[in-house]
Amino acid sequence: MKNKRLDLSYSQMKWETMFRKLLIFMAALLVLVIIGILITLIIESVPSIKALGIKFLWSKTWDPVQNIYGALPFLIGTLLTSFIALILSLPFSYSVSIYLGEYNPKGWLSNLLKNTIELIAAVPSIIYGFWGLFVLVPVIRAIEMKIGVAPYGIGITTASLVLAVMIIPYAASLGITLIRMVPASLKEGAYALGATRFEVIRSVILPYTRTGLFAGVLLSLGRALGETMAVTMLIGNTTSIAGTFKDLLFGPGNTMASVIANEFTEADHTEYLSALVELGLVLFFVTVIINLIGKRIITRFTQH
Amino acid sequence: MKVIKSLKIAAVALAASAVTLSASAQDNTLLGAGSTFVYPLFSKIFAEYGAKTKVQVNYQSIGSGGGILQLTNKTVDFGDSDAPLNDEQAKKMGAPVLHIPMTSGATVITYNIPGITKPLNFNGKIIADIYLGKITNWNNAEIKSLNRGVNLPDLPIVVIHRSDGSGTTFIFTDYLSKVSPEWASKVGKATAVNWPAGLGGKGSEGVAGLVKQTPGGFGYVELAYAVQNKMAYGNVQNKKGKLITPTISSTSAASNVELPADSKVSLTDTDNPQGYPISGFTWALIYKEQKYNGRSAGKAKEVLKLLWYNVHEGQKNCAPLNYAPLSKSALKVAENILKSATYDGKPIL
């Protein structure tokens, strides 16, 4: 007589192996895609690397007519907008995380707020661009007139402000989930010892979720580094580097992603195209380096 | 099992229909790609042409550079570019390419000075000096001397240019290179340049948005865009010293000069006394020898017929869409170029 129980377990086993192989395949595929992108970027930027060498990184001129390319103004613009946006967004994303994670974790209001914040990430970036151009720019211009810098309205500050709004949901969403997952026993223990709510947050919840919260920040930063459309509409797209700190902050600038988006379609000679690809390569490395530093910081924090 | 079987049948049927479709559509579908500037005109002409002749034209407005690349890779029947091929691009093509003028367009100077409604007058030197960052205020004496009776305010000029690579920028910088030796040596002409001054807006809408919002703003956009969006634009003094309002007819006039046989010429700073000085052709691009990649003679003929239609009957669609129709001399050159196309060495038209 046939044992049906054995049959079943055989097919179950087959499924187990298949499922495991599927998972490995999917993960490997993603790694391959990233490596593929890196290889393509390197191959395509060879003509530019050959012609310009390492000084591409700190040369200030970007002149497609003379075939002189330098990434410095865009490197500065990218880092400046991303970090200003990150600093501006942090208080908001942390407050939102703590409020919706700890103070108001359940109920319709909490869900509504959480969904609304996640919706911020779903708005297409061109909408942010136009909103910035027609709503934010006049406000910034009025402020610039008061503090006595050239009243362009667009520039690093405006781009950073819009970026800050755009990246809030990435850190906040992760933060909310993590704070909600803090074991009740830990919090109850702290309360039992007479801690106030603020003390519980400060000495139990935040230390417990620190790694995750920081990972959320990295996610936000990654998004800010690569954001293109909204930034290019608001940053002013100039390659010159301002002389004074005030002008650097309020004046126009440019980012790597925005130059690539602007000039790629009409780049009409090999070196030009290759310089744009090399810019992509630099952006790739900047993102990798920042992520590595972030990972370092996370391990350091968790060891303490 | 049944489901899989019926799925298989469906797939086979689909594949079969695709095969028959592609066979019958081979000569009836033409592919084009290139300039975004000419897209509204082309889509109108091609829709009309499709209704008349049952030939479907699929034109993708991916930008001039993209169109050239697609033609180089021989994935389209014709390309369209706002600038003639440069040496490197021509070399990559591997075979002679014909440039056929399709229409011309003007680039206009637009500005935003509160309280001034009358069109302002400019000349090449003023425009170049503003973009070089040498003239920085609207009450500059040179601007004033061209605009007597206009009360120009003490207002800083906010220079705005395109940040994306664009044919409009090519025409504009080509003009500046001709009228200002300093511009030619310091900056030069290209679809994107190293701007000595000003802010960049992405696309016509970016430039227009910044000019409209910024008091003192000064920028350049295509005539069609300025007209459709009711923007203020100025008159420009041409080579003969006449102040010309950019219109369809003054743009057409700019190309009504003696043109070289290959039509690869820049129309900026035209010699025609009635011509507006900042304008340029957009060219359809095809291989001179149409027999390549196993193309049929029928297909080659269809491409030529389409372009012939474009420069003749198609031209009546130009004016309503604010494109400048080809001038008499441009049409003549275009006809001769089309006639020079060959299939296996024999003329097609």
Side-chain angles (χ1 to χ4, degrees):
Chain A
M1 208 175 114
K2 213 175 164 201
N3 189 341
K4 282 192 175 166
R5 180 76 193 105
L6 267 179
D7 258 5
L8 196 66
S9 78
Y10 175 68
S11 78
Q12 275 174 325
M13 245 162 65
K14 213 166 88 182
W15 170 244
E16 281 299 320
T17 0
M18 237 170 69
F19 185 62
R20 192 168 53 97
K21 280 185 180 159
L22 184 78
L23 291 182
I24 295 172
F25 173 73
M26 291 302 217
L29 200 66
L30 271 181
V31 176
L32 280 182
V33 167
I34 294 287
I35 293 175
I37 290 174
L38 181 63
I39 292 173
T40 320
L41 283 175
I42 292 174
I43 291 174
E44 294 284 316
S45 47
V46 163
S48 160
I49 295 173
K50 267 189 189 156
L52 302 155
I54 189 83
K55 71 169 187 290
F56 179 80
L57 288 179
W58 59 79
S59 159
K60 285 184 200 167
T61 330
W62 183 267
D63 190 338
V65 182
Q66 314 270 355
N67 260 335
I68 303 169
Y69 305 99
L72 188 66
F74 315 127
L75 201 60
I76 293 177
T78 299
L79 293 177
L80 213 55
T81 46
S82 301
F83 278 98
I84 294 175
L86 191 67
I87 290 164
L88 290 174
S89 78
L90 275 188
F92 292 95
S93 45
Y94 271 28
S95 311
V96 166
S97 305
I98 292 169
Y99 178 69
L100 291 181
E102 172 63 20
Y103 283 78
N104 198 354
K106 288 196 190 88
W108 66 271
L109 180 68
S110 175
N111 281 331
L112 180 78
L113 286 174
K114 190 167 186 279
N115 289 337
T116 315
I117 286 155
E118 276 158 14
L119 206 63
I120 292 178
V123 175
S125 63
I126 185 131
I127 307 274
Y128 284 109
F130 273 112
W131 174 78
L133 199 56
F134 292 108
V135 181
L136 197 60
V137 164
V139 178
I140 300 282
R141 186 179 296 123
I143 295 171
E144 283 177 340
M145 274 198 250
K146 286 224 173 76
I147 61 170
V149 287
Y152 293 134
I154 57 177
I156 302 268
T157 318
T158 319
S160 306
L161 276 171
V162 170
L163 259 186
V165 176
M166 292 174 77
I167 64 176
I168 286 174
Y170 294 86
S173 184
L174 199 62
I176 295 169
T177 317
L178 285 170
I179 290 175
R180 281 182 188 177
M181 273 162 48
V182 175
S185 53
L186 282 183
K187 290 189 276 181
E188 280 157 10
Y191 284 127
L193 292 173
T196 63
R197 197 152 205 187
F198 180 74
E199 281 162 353
V200 169
I201 289 168
R202 203 190 54 192
S203 9
V204 177
I205 294 178
L206 286 185
Y208 189 81
T209 53
R210 192 158 43 200
T211 324
L213 288 180
F214 196 78
V217 171
L218 276 184
L219 209 62
S220 290
L221 187 63
R223 165 84 174 151
L225 286 168
E227 173 50 42
T228 311
M229 189 45 105
V231 171
T232 194
M233 290 176 76
L234 296 170
I235 198 162
N237 302 301
T238 51
T239 51
S240 53
I241 303 171
T244 69
F245 185 67
K246 214 171 166 186
D247 284 340
L248 190 65
L249 222 50
F250 285 96
N254 214 341
T255 68
M256 293 189 269
S258 124
V259 178
I260 297 171
N262 269 319
E263 301 186 7
F264 200 79
T265 44
E266 295 299 330
D268 57 359
H269 44 276
T270 317
E271 245 175 68
Y272 188 11
L273 205 60
S274 176
L276 286 169
V277 177
E278 196 182 347
L279 215 50
L281 186 66
V282 174
L283 183 56
F284 189 101
F285 281 127
V286 167
T287 319
V288 169
I289 289 168
I290 287 181
N291 263 304
L292 286 181
I293 295 173
K295 294 274 155 61
R296 257 331 260 277
I297 296 175
I298 289 179
T299 24
R300 176 115 357 137
F301 261 118
T302 30
Q303 274 163 1
H304 275 285
Chain B
M1 214 52 210
K2 252 185 184 169
V3 180
I4 293 176
K5 209 169 191 178
S6 57
L7 266 176
K8 269 185 189 164
I9 294 170
V12 169
L14 207 73
S17 69
V19 168
T20 48
L21 203 78
S22 66
S24 68
Q26 221 166 38
D27 286 350
N28 279 348
T29 308
L30 299 177
L31 296 177
S35 161
T36 45
F37 160 71
V38 79
Y39 178 64
L41 176 67
F42 271 8
S43 53
K44 175 92 176 137
I45 297 180
F46 294 158
E48 208 180 77
Y49 190 73
K52 268 186 195 163
T53 61
K54 304 278 174 274
V55 174
Q56 293 301 316
V57 187
N58 181 356
Y59 181 79
Q60 289 172 351
S61 61
I62 53 175
S64 301
I68 291 168
L69 206 64
Q70 297 274 310
L71 189 68
T72 312
N73 296 336
K74 302 194 170 67
T75 47
V76 291
D77 297 303
F78 66 95
D80 189 284
S81 172
D82 300 338
L85 295 185
N86 63 27
D87 295 341
E88 190 187 320
Q89 288 167 331
K91 216 171 115 193
K92 277 191 184 159
M93 285 280 182
V97 168
L98 298 176
H99 292 59
I100 307 117
M102 291 285 114
T103 177
S104 58
T107 298
V108 303
I109 301 299
T110 177
Y111 47 83
N112 171 4
I113 312 171
I116 288 188
T117 47
K118 222 182 105 193
L120 291 178
N121 301 327
F122 300 98
N123 62 26
K125 186 174 179 298
I126 292 177
I127 300 171
D129 281 351
I130 290 176
Y131 273 90
L132 281 167
K134 285 161 79 183
I135 297 181
T136 56
N137 199 301
W138 281 106
N139 66 7
N140 174 280
E142 275 182 85
I143 306 179
K144 271 185 171 166
S145 70
L146 260 186
N147 294 284
R148 291 188 196 287
V150 183
N151 188 20
L152 285 164
D154 173 15
L155 183 69
I157 300 176
V158 179
V159 179
I160 291 147
H161 55 76
R162 287 279 288 265
S163 64
D164 49 334
S166 131
T168 312
T169 299
F170 181 83
I171 292 171
F172 187 67
T173 51
D174 180 48
Y175 171 68
L176 294 183
S177 299
K178 280 187 188 173
V179 295
S180 160
E182 191 180 348
W183 183 275
S185 66
K186 265 193 185 164
V187 187
K189 58 175 177 179
T191 50
V193 299
N194 184 19
W195 296 96
L199 308 172
K202 186 163 167 56
S204 299
E205 71 281 3
V207 171
L210 287 177
V211 171
K212 273 184 183 168
Q213 279 187 45
T214 318
F218 184 84
Y220 62 92
V221 291
E222 288 146 22
L223 172 65
Y225 192 87
V227 171
Q228 281 153 14
N229 291 284
K230 300 190 174 56
M231 297 169 68
Y233 51 89
N235 308 324
V236 180
Q237 203 170 36
N238 67 12
K239 208 174 186 175
K240 304 283 175 199
K242 280 197 175 173
L243 282 163
I244 305 290
T245 307
T247 59
I248 291 159
S249 61
S250 66
T251 309
S252 282
S255 70
N256 204 8
V257 288
E258 202 166 313
L259 297 169
D262 63 359
S263 90
K264 286 197 270 184
V265 66
S266 128
L267 298 178
T268 54
D269 205 24
T270 175
D271 287 326
N272 189 318
Q274 262 72 48
Y276 179 71
I278 321 175
S279 71
F281 281 133
T282 178
W283 290 272
L285 307 171
I286 55 169
Y287 285 102
K288 186 169 196 294
E289 171 55 57
Q290 284 286 301
K291 193 181 180 188
Y292 57 88
N293 273 17
R295 278 156 60 97
S296 67
K299 187 148 202 168
K301 179 122 191 157
E302 286 302 336
V303 174
L304 268 294
K305 269 164 71 183
L306 172 77
L307 296 178
W308 187 265
Y309 180 88
N310 273 6
V311 298
H312 291 98
E313 291 93 329
Q315 291 290 311
K316 67 172 189 303
N317 292 313
C318 285
L321 295 168
N322 292 304
Y323 291 88
L326 295 176
S327 65
K328 265 188 205 139
S329 59
L331 179 61
K332 214 169 148 195
V333 170
E335 282 179 349
N336 285 335
I337 294 171
L338 282 172
K339 281 177 188 158
S340 74
T342 56
Y343 185 83
D344 210 6
K346 293 180 207 66
I348 300 171
L349 286 173

